Amino acid sequence: MAIDHHRASFMQQAIDLALAKMTAMEGGPFGAIVVRDGQVVGRGWNRVTSTNDPTAHAEVVAIRDACQRQGDFRLDGCELYVNCEPCPMCLAAAYWAGITTIYYAADRTDAAAIGFADDHIYREFARPVTERAIPMVQLMREAALPGFAAWEAMEDKIPY
């Protein structure tokens, strides 16, 4: 299968961004580009160590950048180009944002081979809640439900 030159160009931008920012000591080896209608609308690189933020993965940073630039929390019709398969957090962020397609270069086993936990977390999510490494304990469900009922009844809410 032939590689589309536009897609290859966007992927190369993600790869180059990852390498440039990693060598500048701004974070780990990950870069992401958000594209809408053939135009880059968001860029992000891993900023976990440079900002002390474990959620500052390249994809999340790129999604935040694109949403801010587009003035919308939805990125329907956008594509995400990343130099590595998104971790579960980043994949979830792409779903929440409405990303249409994700293109990635390296995969989770490549990331695991250099010490990243992506594959481990994917495996954890596949386990029953009671067998995960981080215990999850439900508390005070009934106390939380009135807030959900109030949300459901709001007529002027912005659904997402």
Side-chain angles (χ1 to χ4, degrees), residues 30 84 106-120 123:
F30 306 100
C84 187
D107 65 24
R108 66 180 90 163
T109 60
D110 297 316
I114 60 169
F116 289 93
D118 305 45
D119 191 49
H120 165 72
R123 285 186 275 117

Side-chain angles (χ1 to χ4, degrees), residues 38-114:
Q39 299 294 317
V40 174
V41 297
R43 289 180 175 80
W45 56 91
N46 182 284
R47 296 180 184 180
V48 171
T49 58
S50 61
T51 62
N52 294 317
D53 179 355
T55 69
H57 289 202
E59 299 92 329
V60 172
V61 173
I63 287 168
R64 289 174 181 162
D65 184 46
C67 287
Q68 184 176 19
R69 290 173 187 268
Q70 299 293 291
D72 196 348
F73 60 86
R74 294 291 300 177
L75 296 175
D76 298 310
C78 288
E79 300 171 328
L80 179 63
Y81 292 81
V82 294
N83 70 315
C84 187
E85 179 181 8
C87 75
M89 176 185 69
C90 294
L91 181 60
Y95 273 95
W96 279 112
I99 296 288
T100 303
T101 307
I102 300 171
Y103 298 96
Y104 63 95
D107 65 24
R108 66 180 90 163
T109 60
D110 297 316
I114 60 169

